[in-house]
Amino acid sequence: MEELLSQYETVNLSAVKIWFKAGSIKDFPSNRGGCIKYKNKQIAIFNFERRNEWYACQNACPHKMEMVLSRGMTGSTDGIPKIACPMHKKTFSLVDGSNLNGDDFKIATYPVKIEGNEVFVGFLE
Amino acid sequence: MINVIVVGNGMVGYKFCEKFISKSGQENYQITVFGEEPRRAYDRVHLSEYFAGKTADDLSLSTTSWYEDNNIILNTSELITDINREQKTIHTHLEKTYEYDYLVLATGSAAFVPPIDGVEKEGVFVYRTIEDLDAIMAYAKKIKANGATEAAVLGGGLLGLEAAKAVRDLGLNPHVVEFAPRLMPRQLDKGASDMLQSKIEELNIGIHLNKATQYIAGEESIKGMMFADDELLNVNMLVISAGIKPRDELGRVSGLEVGVRGGIVVNNKMQTSDPNIFAIGEVALYNQMIYGLVAPGYEMADVAAEQILKGDKTMRDTIDMSTQLKLIGVEVASFGDPFIENEDVTAIVYENKFSGIYKRINVTKDGKTLLGGILVGDSSDYNGLFQIYANAMALPPNPEDLILGSRGGKVSTLGSASDLPDTAVICSCENVTKGAICCSILDGTANTFGDVVKLTKATSGCGGCKPMVADLVKAAQKSIGKEVKESICEHFNYTRQELFDLVKINKYTNYYEVIDHHGNGDGCEICKPVVASIFSSIYNDTANKHITTQDTNDRYLANIQRNGTYSVVPRIAGGEITPEKLIVIGEVAKQFDLYTKITGAQRVDLFGAQLNDLPKIWKVLIDNGFESGHAYGKSLRAVKSCVGNTWCRYGMDDSTTFAIELENRYRGIRSPHKLKGGVSACIRECAEARGKDFGVIAVEGGWNLYICGNGGANPKHAVLLAEQINKETVFKYMDRFLMYYIRTAGPLVRTSTWLEKLDGGLDYLKEVIIHDRIGICETLEAEMEKLVGTFECEWKQVLEKPRLLKRFSHFVNTDEKDDNIAFVPLREQKMPRPW
């Protein structure tokens, strides 16, 4: 379990070494998530169409390590875009990955950029 | 189709469209609007706010899509040049011809420019349209750059003073020039004008009364104004705001009757001398008057719309010219007849030069009736006084109390808005009564001030009635005990019940419409499923229609289990199943390596299905006659039955058939929480019907119906609703009970908790759904009837529509399955690895 989680670490925009093409915009449903596979990682990508914003985070729920975050519901708390885990409804900030219901678990987030019609996620390697 | 052409796209032309499309029978009419200005109708009343930073869009009364959505054709920048009344056509400056059945002239008015020598000089403007304002702004900038600071406004009426404020906002020193001996000569008496003048002069605005302008001085451009008393006022810009002139050209060229001083003559149906042509607003001459206020224009629009649609509404004989304004920061109001003076009338005047307040009321000698009045400097009493005047309400023993206010600790003599009769018109621009405002709150169609505004349009005209509407809304809310709100989440300040009504009344069909109109932010995992559930309860929309806002189980039409796999539960109504179907379930489980279990509700649950496999599993099940069991939904799960008198030696009736009938009647219907039922054929109660949301037990002489029980963390026995009733009555009461619960329960509130919270409890519930105490049974039944029989298997929908299948792949960029899932063995089957 530990090793599964240790694969996921927040990547800051300035540190991005590789922009991975995740797919085209139309592959991702609007206002909800889609999951992509990159090497051995599962990354959830959210097309927050209502805000005209994109976010990415680890697909694993940090609580029980199940690959489900992309199937959760997007929303906001006090204007912070968030994802609710479909398992136990813990909610996480899509901006910095913090747990909005407490401090026990956190998720890793990744930069997303859109070029033309294509969606790219930033990784360190 | 009957063609209605509206010429003119100002406030009144727009209001005509708005009124027209809100009326019944309008479906058979096509409205086409022509406006000569390049933009959509805008709020001319608040035009001077354009100088204070508002954009043309801010002032716009509607959106482009509003016209499209309401099937109205809008042609801007197109001027009508002629009407052919015999052929019923109009001709435009683009050389186009259009046919009409009814023509509505809402051409409004233009600024009246007095015939003064030199008005054509550069730097002289009128104050009427956004284009005029743009030109004034540009010119002001130009003269300021050359060091000029003085500008004049010709006309000391309402609009003139507005224009003076606008000129000041542009950074120039305004001078108001008025021909009459006082300001706002149509609304104010000498005392009021004096008070207003001193207030305005304090703001460094020059006031020049009794001034007849002889000519405009200057070569090419204006340098000054020469008055008849040989005084010269040096100014570099002049804004003329000296009144209005009806735009009656079309009436004249087509031979309609026009007044001596202009305006197209109309009767009280707003018909011109040609019965197929109507005139409304400032072009219409009604009772030999042109009404330059928006409220009468709106009423005329309403009358014309009614008349075209064969209604019988007509224009009132007397039109109220009361106004309340804030001019250059000074409050000014006049109502009724402000000037009336004769032996039957006493004018009571209060004047306070120190604080700059002037108030006058005209009261009949007997002290019983208020005829009119004027307020300058403080118009806070306007709404109260206007209501007393408009409703001919009784006056206090000392009428002067009305303007002297509370002396000696007395409470306001104007009383509160609540004392007004229901017929009192609170918003005269939109003609909204107190009754309409309060009613919308009391009957639940509106919950907040904002709702009332949306629903009734009150306050959306001049806005003067805002405080009063707010008071009424508050009072009405209070009267129904609405202080504590159980709002759903931070995005909606409403309860589920309120949202239910909002959705139903406004006929919303998608979540974002609801949050845009009544919520804020982006929504969340709490409010999204609530709204999705409401859509399902009202329209019987399946979960497929609202994928984005459904909670995870509804989104994937299966129950998510511990390791992120799903379970599959086909419907087995009443627990009755053929051997063939049992075999199919077994085959499917084997094929997809699923764990199987008989559930507590007499069904077979298939566990451990991966997201990608769900459609394949359901394909086999549906091909073999199964349908979705909605085990994932907040909806009816199952109706459990015992063996019944078909096999059981004790059974008193056929419980299995009844259970199947109940389950099939209510299958697929979404509710605030999941629902279960049970039917037992005798009091041995093998179906455990009294542990369910509804339970039916066969007894001597019929069925006993129990409601609001449940298992779960806080088990509750169901309580008896009715005894010894027949099947038909069970269905009737069930329809009413379920619909009442669906409409009024909070999100995720079980029937048992709902009943506990219900004021008056079971006795009240019996009154409502058995004795129809509040007269809603017919509605409840009708609403349920709409849902019954429109069941659609959501899985069948998915399999028929490939685009709906897309959501069932784990990855977007590969067809692989989730490789993180692992199982361990358990009693010859399997289970997820432990957490």
Side-chain angles (χ1 to χ4, degrees):
Chain A
M1 286 300 134
E2 293 300 305
E3 72 184 54
L4 187 141
L5 261 198
S6 64
Q7 290 178 41
Y8 298 98
E9 261 191 67
T10 292
V11 174
N12 292 316
L13 183 61
S14 54
V16 171
K17 296 239 166 47
I18 289 162
W19 283 106
F20 174 67
K21 192 171 108 182
S24 85
I25 286 178
K26 63 174 171 32
D27 293 331
F28 295 90
S30 42
N31 296 313
R32 52 196 169 101
C35 176
I36 60 148
K37 189 166 194 179
Y38 172 62
K39 293 185 180 170
N40 56 350
K41 289 187 175 71
Q42 291 196 18
I43 303 294
I45 299 178
F46 300 95
N47 174 2
F48 225 114
E49 199 182 53
R50 200 176 148 73
R51 298 167 68 111
N52 196 23
E53 292 167 6
W54 289 73
Y55 294 100
C57 67
Q58 65 185 59
N59 194 35
C61 97
H63 175 208
K64 297 292 182 185
M65 316 304 153
E66 303 299 352
M67 295 297 183
V68 292
L69 287 188
S70 65
R71 301 181 216 157
M73 237 181 275
T74 54
S76 67
T77 290
D78 296 325
I80 303 167
K82 65 173 185 178
I83 177 68
C85 174
M87 298 294 252
H88 299 97
K89 295 291 181 309
K90 287 181 188 298
T91 59
F92 303 94
S93 157
L94 286 171
V95 178
D96 63 13
S98 60
N99 183 343
L100 297 169
N101 314 103
D103 357 297
D104 49 357
F105 302 104
K106 216 176 151 3
I107 56 171
T109 57
Y110 298 83
V112 182
K113 74 171 180 182
I114 306 297
E115 271 186 22
N117 283 321
E118 283 165 343
V119 183
F120 295 84
V121 185
F123 294 99
L124 298 176
E125 48 177 323
Chain B
M1 270 295 171
I2 304 166
N3 282 319
V4 178
I5 290 185
V6 182
V7 184
N9 188 34
M11 294 180 83
V12 171
Y14 169 77
K15 183 58 64 174
F16 173 83
C17 297
E18 199 184 89
K19 293 277 184 192
F20 198 87
I21 57 163
S22 71
K23 294 183 191 293
S24 60
Q26 58 93 14
E27 303 79 18
N28 305 320
Y29 293 74
Q30 171 63 55
I31 303 183
T32 308
V33 183
F34 290 89
E36 64 175 356
E37 286 190 60
R39 53 175 58 86
R40 300 186 303 274
Y42 54 89
D43 184 351
R44 227 182 279 274
V45 171
H46 295 104
L47 195 59
S48 49
E49 290 173 20
Y50 188 65
F51 285 120
K54 283 218 172 168
T55 64
D57 258 359
D58 293 337
L59 292 173
S60 188
L61 293 171
S62 69
T63 57
T64 313
S65 59
W66 182 85
Y67 289 94
E68 279 163 21
D69 293 349
N70 290 295
N71 199 27
I72 295 171
I73 301 167
L74 173 65
N75 300 306
T76 50
S77 301
E78 194 162 1
L79 178 71
I80 311 304
T81 53
D82 198 9
I83 303 169
N84 184 329
R85 287 164 52 198
E86 257 163 41
Q87 290 177 1
K88 291 201 189 171
T89 56
I90 57 162
H91 201 65
T92 80
H93 82 293
L94 301 174
E95 300 295 320
K96 288 193 200 162
T97 300
Y98 299 85
E99 288 177 11
Y100 67 81
D101 294 289
Y102 295 100
L103 187 61
V104 179
L105 301 175
T107 45
S109 61
F112 167 69
V113 179
I116 299 170
D117 277 350
V119 284
E120 72 292 339
K121 286 186 179 147
E122 200 191 6
V124 181
F125 299 92
V126 294
Y127 190 79
R128 191 71 193 151
T129 65
I130 286 182
E131 277 66 34
D132 295 337
L133 268 59
D134 283 336
I136 292 170
M137 277 199 266
Y139 199 76
K141 206 170 165 187
K142 189 174 137 190
I143 60 170
K144 272 200 299 188
N146 293 329
T149 53
E150 307 303 301
V153 171
L154 186 66
L158 281 177
L159 204 61
L161 294 174
E162 281 281 319
K165 177 184 188 307
V167 167
R168 202 188 57 161
D169 287 346
L170 293 176
L172 296 169
N173 297 329
H175 297 264
V176 175
V177 177
E178 170 59 48
F179 179 76
R182 53 182 204 269
L183 291 170
M184 294 177 67
R186 288 173 75 167
Q187 288 88 6
L188 304 185
D189 62 8
K190 183 75 170 59
S193 169
D194 287 350
M195 192 64 78
L196 182 59
Q197 181 174 353
S198 64
K199 281 252 170 193
I200 292 176
E201 281 170 346
E202 277 172 26
L203 302 165
N204 287 327
I205 295 176
I207 303 286
H208 309 261
L209 300 174
N210 274 318
K211 295 291 180 199
T213 308
Q214 272 198 318
Y215 62 88
I216 307 290
E219 294 292 312
E220 299 262 293
S221 57
I222 176 171
K223 290 282 177 292
M225 292 169 77
M226 190 67 198
F227 301 137
D229 56 9
D230 289 339
E231 193 188 322
L232 178 72
L233 181 67
N234 286 313
V235 290
N236 290 77
M237 186 170 89
L238 171 64
V239 177
I240 297 178
S241 182
I244 56 170
K245 181 182 73 180
R247 296 277 307 271
D248 55 11
E249 309 92 286
L250 279 176
R252 290 176 191 274
V253 295
S254 60
L256 296 176
E257 189 187 343
V258 292
V260 188
R261 278 179 293 172
I264 299 173
V265 175
V266 291
N267 60 17
N268 65 356
K269 298 175 175 173
M270 304 323 288
Q271 269 168 333
T272 65
S273 52
D274 179 332
N276 292 318
I277 303 181
F278 293 75
I280 54 178
E282 291 178 347
V283 73
L285 187 70
Y286 176 59
N287 282 348
Q288 281 155 39
M289 275 275 287
I290 296 287
Y291 296 91
L293 290 178
V294 79
Y298 280 6
E299 204 175 334
M300 290 175 181
D302 193 32
V303 168
E306 279 274 316
Q307 288 292 339
I308 291 172
L309 289 165
K310 309 297 174 221
D312 51 10
K313 188 169 191 170
T314 54
M315 198 67 191
R316 284 180 285 191
D317 286 345
T318 51
I319 290 174
D320 192 78
M321 295 292 283
S322 304
T323 46
Q324 183 196 18
L325 291 155
K326 200 167 183 176
L327 289 165
I328 325 181
V330 185
E331 293 179 8
V332 179
S334 87
F335 62 94
D337 191 335
F339 302 123
I340 190 166
E341 258 175 68
N342 58 51
E343 62 264 33
D344 300 327
V345 178
T346 305
I348 302 172
V349 177
Y350 167 77
E351 191 174 3
N352 183 338
K353 286 202 167 135
F354 180 72
S355 45
I357 292 169
Y358 177 91
K359 296 180 181 183
R360 165 180 171 162
I361 50 172
N362 306 318
V363 180
T364 50
K365 272 259 156 51
D366 59 12
K368 288 198 171 139
T369 314
L370 181 61
L371 299 171
I374 299 168
L375 304 166
V376 173
D378 170 19
S379 65
S380 55
D381 292 340
Y382 172 78
N383 279 314
L385 288 170
F386 178 75
Q387 290 301 337
I388 292 175
Y389 153 74
N391 297 292
M393 290 163 76
L395 304 186
N398 300 313
E400 68 266 26
D401 288 354
L402 289 175
I403 50 173
L404 296 180
S406 51
R407 288 166 299 161
K410 274 192 297 178
V411 284
S412 168
T413 43
L414 292 172
S416 74
S418 314
D419 299 335
L420 293 168
D422 275 354
T423 49
V425 174
I426 303 295
C427 171
S428 44
C429 296
E430 293 286 344
N431 208 8
V432 186
T433 61
K434 177 195 166 190
I437 290 164
C438 295
C439 218
S440 64
I441 295 281
L442 298 181
D443 68 11
T445 46
N447 293 299
T448 62
F449 178 82
D451 293 351
V452 171
V453 171
K454 260 179 215 132
L455 209 66
T456 64
K457 298 205 145 253
T459 77
S460 62
C462 71
C465 59
K466 238 179 216 167
M468 207 157 206
V469 174
D471 282 353
L472 286 172
V473 167
K474 224 177 274 167
Q477 282 173 331
K478 217 169 172 179
S479 75
I480 52 172
K482 200 177 257 162
E483 298 284 7
V484 201
K485 295 211 58 159
E486 286 187 32
S487 44
I488 292 179
C489 65
E490 65 168 80
H491 305 101
F492 287 98
N493 194 20
Y494 295 107
T495 64
R496 179 183 177 278
Q497 185 181 354
E498 289 167 347
L499 264 191
F500 190 104
D501 289 337
L502 285 172
V503 168
K504 196 174 167 84
I505 286 157
N506 295 301
K507 302 190 173 70
Y508 297 125
T509 54
N510 90 57
Y511 172 79
Y512 293 104
E513 265 177 84
V514 182
I515 194 165
D516 285 344
H517 285 103
H518 304 284
N520 59 76
D522 309 284
C524 68
E525 74 283 359
I526 298 168
C527 56
K528 284 178 175 179
V530 169
V531 176
S533 156
I534 289 171
F535 287 141
S536 301
S537 294
I538 295 175
Y539 312 117
N540 226 358
D541 281 348
T542 66
N544 290 322
K545 209 173 158 190
H546 305 283
I547 303 170
T548 302
T549 52
Q550 294 288 1
D551 209 342
T552 182
N553 287 358
D554 267 312
R555 185 183 288 186
Y556 297 100
L557 307 175
N559 299 43
I560 194 166
Q561 301 295 349
R562 228 180 58 198
N563 59 351
T565 62
Y566 289 88
S567 65
V568 170
V569 188
R571 182 169 304 287
I572 301 175
E576 185 185 69
I577 186 166
T578 61
E580 284 78 9
K581 281 192 166 170
L582 264 180
I583 290 166
V584 170
I585 289 180
E587 297 280 7
V588 169
K590 253 164 76 179
Q591 187 188 338
F592 292 94
D593 190 23
L594 306 172
Y595 165 96
T596 53
K597 182 176 187 313
I598 311 287
T599 71
Q602 301 179 330
R603 312 202 272 190
V604 185
D605 212 345
L606 310 170
F607 289 85
Q610 294 211 29
L611 193 58
N612 306 45
D613 284 336
L614 284 174
K616 292 175 220 158
I617 294 170
W618 275 105
K619 170 95 176 54
V620 182
L621 291 172
I622 283 168
D623 285 348
N624 284 282
F626 285 98
E627 65 185 27
S628 170
H630 285 95
Y632 44 83
K634 297 301 174 209
S635 57
L636 179 70
R637 296 290 174 88
V639 181
K640 191 173 180 177
S641 68
C642 66
V643 175
N645 68 356
T646 46
W647 292 91
C648 174
R649 62 200 160 118
Y650 296 111
M652 302 181 69
D653 213 326
D654 184 357
S655 58
T656 306
T657 301
F658 201 3
I660 294 169
E661 286 170 350
L662 278 164
E663 183 164 346
N664 286 339
R665 181 170 180 82
Y666 302 120
R667 68 188 162 160
I669 290 170
R670 260 36 183 211
S671 48
H673 207 297
K674 62 182 174 187
L675 291 168
K676 288 178 182 173
V679 183
S680 285
C682 77
I683 48 153
R684 282 170 192 78
E685 249 275 74
C686 296
E688 293 156 332
R690 292 184 64 196
K692 309 276 190 280
D693 297 279
F694 57 91
V696 189
I697 300 173
V699 291
E700 196 74 54
W703 300 89
N704 282 0
L705 174 58
Y706 295 82
I707 52 164
C708 300
N710 61 256
N714 296 298
K716 281 265 152 51
H717 253 167
V719 291
L720 184 64
L721 182 76
E723 289 179 86
Q724 293 173 302
I725 52 178
N726 61 19
K727 252 188 182 181
E728 205 188 356
T729 314
V730 170
F731 281 123
K732 189 162 80 179
Y733 291 170
M734 276 297 298
D735 282 6
R736 295 172 181 179
F737 157 65
L738 285 179
M739 206 62 222
Y740 192 43
Y741 163 68
I742 287 170
R743 286 202 69 147
T744 59
L748 302 180
V749 170
R750 284 175 181 268
T751 53
S752 56
T753 323
W754 170 73
L755 181 61
E756 268 169 28
K757 284 189 177 173
L758 192 69
D759 259 1
L762 179 67
D763 289 343
Y764 177 72
L765 185 61
K766 281 182 182 172
E767 283 293 319
V768 172
I769 63 177
I770 297 177
H771 305 298
D772 201 13
R773 174 163 148 194
I774 53 174
I776 56 167
C777 284
E778 210 178 299
T779 312
L780 296 175
E781 279 176 44
E783 286 178 341
M784 181 55 87
E785 203 50 52
K786 254 191 214 160
L787 301 183
V788 170
T790 53
F791 171 82
E792 268 190 90
C793 175
E794 290 161 336
W795 269 108
K796 198 157 175 245
Q797 285 182 331
V798 169
L799 295 171
E800 281 165 2
K801 295 207 178 85
R803 76 182 164 80
L804 294 179
L805 279 168
K806 212 175 147 185
R807 81 185 104 134
F808 296 98
S809 41
H810 186 75
F811 292 109
V812 167
N813 60 345
T814 152
D815 289 333
E816 290 173 55
K817 292 183 184 177
D818 178 7
D819 51 14
N820 185 50
I821 293 172
F823 293 96
V824 293
L826 169 80
R827 291 188 293 274
E828 295 171 37
Q829 296 200 66
K830 63 175 188 181
M831 64 175 260
R833 80 181 151 208
W835 274 344

